[in-house]
Amino acid sequence: MMYDKSNMPSLPQTVDQVADLLIADLPPKEMATLSLMSEKDFLRLYNSVAQYVLDEFRVWTGNDDLLESCLEKVSDSEDMTDPAMIILRRVWQKLNDFPEILIIT
């Protein structure tokens, strides 16, 4: 079934918008887990959700604004040319930017 683009909700256009949406969908316990995650655990998470992020936000299939936002954040490190990695690292960074948030579970 083909979807009429005009009826689709607007897609997020920046890395920060996607990160905020993903964080908003996380239960408090998952936020706490993510914020304390090691690099190794983060890479495991990335491997399991990268394709979902790319598909859900149509990074390669029409969401040019988001792709451009990702490319603007490309760094010299090898893994930071991948839009899914850029988005997920932003989520991780945002969760770690707010140590004063008290998460009650």
Side-chain angles (χ1 to χ4, degrees):
M1 177 177 181
M2 294 294 290
Y3 292 99
D4 181 7
K5 286 183 185 175
S6 63
N7 289 335
M8 291 182 73
S10 62
L11 292 164
Q13 298 177 339
T14 69
V15 172
D16 279 329
Q17 287 173 348
V18 173
D20 290 343
L21 281 172
L22 291 171
I23 291 169
D25 282 348
L26 289 173
K29 189 173 183 179
E30 296 299 319
M31 282 186 199
T33 301
L34 269 172
S35 69
L36 300 172
M37 198 172 270
S38 69
E39 179 75 14
K40 183 178 175 184
D41 288 338
F42 173 80
L43 291 174
R44 196 173 305 128
L45 170 74
Y46 162 80
N47 287 329
S48 66
V49 300
Q51 194 59 52
Y52 164 80
V53 169
L54 293 173
D55 293 345
E56 181 72 14
F57 299 107
R58 300 180 55 203
V59 175
W60 296 116
T61 56
N63 193 347
D64 295 334
D65 291 330
L66 179 55
L67 180 58
E68 189 173 314
S69 177
C70 289
L71 294 176
E72 286 171 4
K73 296 189 181 317
V74 167
S75 74
D76 293 333
S77 67
E78 250 176 63
D79 66 351
M80 290 299 285
T81 57
D82 172 14
M85 178 63 79
I86 291 167
I87 291 166
L88 291 169
R89 281 211 183 273
R90 186 66 185 128
V91 168
W92 196 28
Q93 180 184 22
K94 279 178 170 270
L95 288 172
N96 283 299
D97 280 349
F98 301 106
E100 70 278 0
I101 293 176
L102 176 62
I103 299 175
I104 300 170
T105 56

